[in-house]
């Protein structure tokens, strides 16, 4: 039985969507037990008796406005920090939360703790691509560390490659370094140094520098970058896809009769295309480099997205990937 | 009469598309004179007599493979370096090239020279947005400087704001700093320091931090960032729009009869939507912060794109923006 701690009060749609996602996960997997941290009254009203669920009352909540480190230090009775503490104490094996990203990262770092010899954990989302052959890639770091040293990106590459292999089942994950040109020798002093480190790292399949414009073509399984660039790339990607779809929809609706009619006829195909870039099905982002699995679900998670984040936590536990990583760095 | 130096041998479609773009510009503007640098024989075969065009033979060419600084130092008889030298010497007032970006930036820096008190010039493309109210924004730096100090971004903001005001006619350009969150106090040590500098800079209309996901909504007129992030953002933007359009087109073509038919009916509307993100009409990117206008046209420029780059060079000269900038920093 995999025991997973749930921050039931985090996210825009908590606790209802969180609870619904939990119930869906329990229905689909009979080898998980969920401990929900949150307001007992609210949670009890949403949950009928279930033998693989328990509610742990937490009187406080970390909000979106809380300063991360301060929240973790001061709000020890919040659903997020108590859930993280239960993992630290060995009561649960993993944590899933849709709450304040910064505070969750700080909980991972300060409460659960880093893997031995890992300098900085990184935030690693699974991003859908537009390639049928390689329908997704992972990006690390997507924003945990706004400033990075070469050793951080070196470790990100190894950690993410392990994850890709062990959890996603990619045999020899292609690892690329996001840079301002594909030629070796390109880039900032950071990327130049990282290139050398990755080129001589035998435990990964490093294919060299890549440009952000090729990410959606499925050019790599693992894209390595610093947290500032990763955050900008991910947000540009999400924003462009979203704005472009909105613009196209406006154009079709405001067109002439033929365009309007054609727009209606392709509606389902268009929806399917957009669905390809929908990250609801991908699960959440993993904070990789800490002692236990921590999954950050999107703040706007609905029940399905939160279900997939739990599914992902279970996959990570089943794979034993974190133990393997710990071993590699010892 | 505005005298403009043209690198006729730079770009994937040189010299034919370059010459065609030049002829189009001469037909549309009667106040420009173009001096084309390149292989005399090839150019003469493409140009019939024109009273506002001259050919300056240059025996050498900078290729895409050339290392930038070395190319500028060694290939003094190349079309690019000779064109830049003619601007330095006062024979011409501006230069337009679709050649090797790095070498062109180096030509601007080493041959034409920086404005007084400008530490680093930045590369500033005009990027189409998807907003009808604000159909474009400028991004600076889009890749000239992979590593930046706070003072560089401070200067980028002032230079680009001047350009937006004087050349594009935006009355009070909204300047935003690309960051990993919108709140003040977010970001790397670089963006935190830059935020303070921009907030107290009275010559610009600084609206604060912006996230890359909002760029296409027309949230700012000027987006300021370091050259590494700017390069990654621009490439992600271009790549996502392009891959998404390709994917959509594949989906429509491979759909059922209804989808295929609907796809045909919206073809022109779809093309128009894509056209909104087509940068052919935007002109090129300006290397801002040097003594004379330097316009980098896209390497894959066709005649229309190159025409627009010349049109842009003329606009910059007409505006007197470079002189105003020089004055500001003196």
């Amino acid at each position: 039985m995999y025991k997973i701690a749930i921050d039931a009060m985090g996210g825009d749609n908590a606790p209802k969507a969180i609870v619904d996602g939990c119930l869906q996960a329990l229905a689909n997997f009979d080898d998980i037990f969920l401990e929900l941290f949150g307001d007992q009254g609210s949670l009890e009203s949403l949950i009928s008796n279930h033998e693989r669920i328990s509610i742990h009352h937490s009187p406080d909540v970390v909000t979106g406005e809380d300063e991360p480190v301060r929240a973790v230090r001061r709000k020890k009775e919040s659903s997020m920090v108590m859930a993280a503490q239960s993992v630290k104490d060995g009561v649960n094996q993993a944590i899933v939360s849709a709450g304040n990203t910064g505070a969750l990262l700080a909980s991972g770092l300060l409460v659960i703790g880093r893997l031995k010899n890992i300098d900085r954990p990184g935030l690693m989302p699974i991003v859908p691509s537009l390639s049928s052959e390689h329908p997704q890639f992972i990006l690390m770091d997507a924003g945990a560390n706004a400033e990075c040293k070469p050793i951080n990106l070196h470790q990100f590459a190894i950690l993410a490659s392990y994850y890709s292999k062990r959890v996603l089942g990619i045999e020899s994950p292609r690892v690329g370094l996001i840079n301002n040109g594909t030629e070796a020798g390109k880039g900032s002093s950071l990327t130049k140094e990282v290139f050398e480190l990755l080129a001589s790292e035998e435990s990964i399949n490093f294919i060299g520098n890549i440009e952000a414009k090729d990410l959606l073509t499925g050019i790599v399984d693992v894209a390595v970058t610093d947290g500032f660039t990763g955050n900008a790339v991910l947000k540009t990607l999400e924003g462009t896809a979203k704005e472009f779809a909105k613009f196209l929809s406006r154009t079709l609706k405001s067109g002439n009769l033929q365009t309007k009619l054609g727009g209606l006829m392709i509606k389902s195909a268009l929806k399917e295309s957009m669905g390809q870039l929908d990250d609801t099905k991908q699960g959440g982002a993993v904070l990789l480099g800490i002692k236990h699995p921590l999954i950050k679900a999107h703040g706007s998670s609905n029940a399905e997205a939160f279900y997939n984040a739990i599914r992902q936590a279970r996959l990570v536990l089943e794979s034993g990937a974190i133990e393997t990583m710990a071993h590699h760095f010892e």
Side-chain angles (χ1 to χ4, degrees), chain A residues 234-262:
Chain A
L234 188 64
K235 282 179 179 161
T236 308
L237 213 151
E238 290 174 349
T240 307
K242 191 176 136 204
E243 294 305 326
F244 188 69
K246 269 164 60 180
F247 182 80
L248 185 61
S249 158
R250 279 203 305 273
T251 308
L252 294 180
K253 278 182 191 147
S254 64
N256 59 22
L257 192 63
Q258 176 186 318
T259 302
K260 276 183 188 149
L261 192 60

Side-chain angles (χ1 to χ4, degrees), chain A residues 13 17 71 92 106 109 135 141 200 266 275 302:
Chain A
N13 306 312
N92 291 302
L109 207 58
D141 173 18
S200 55
I266 63 155
N302 57 16

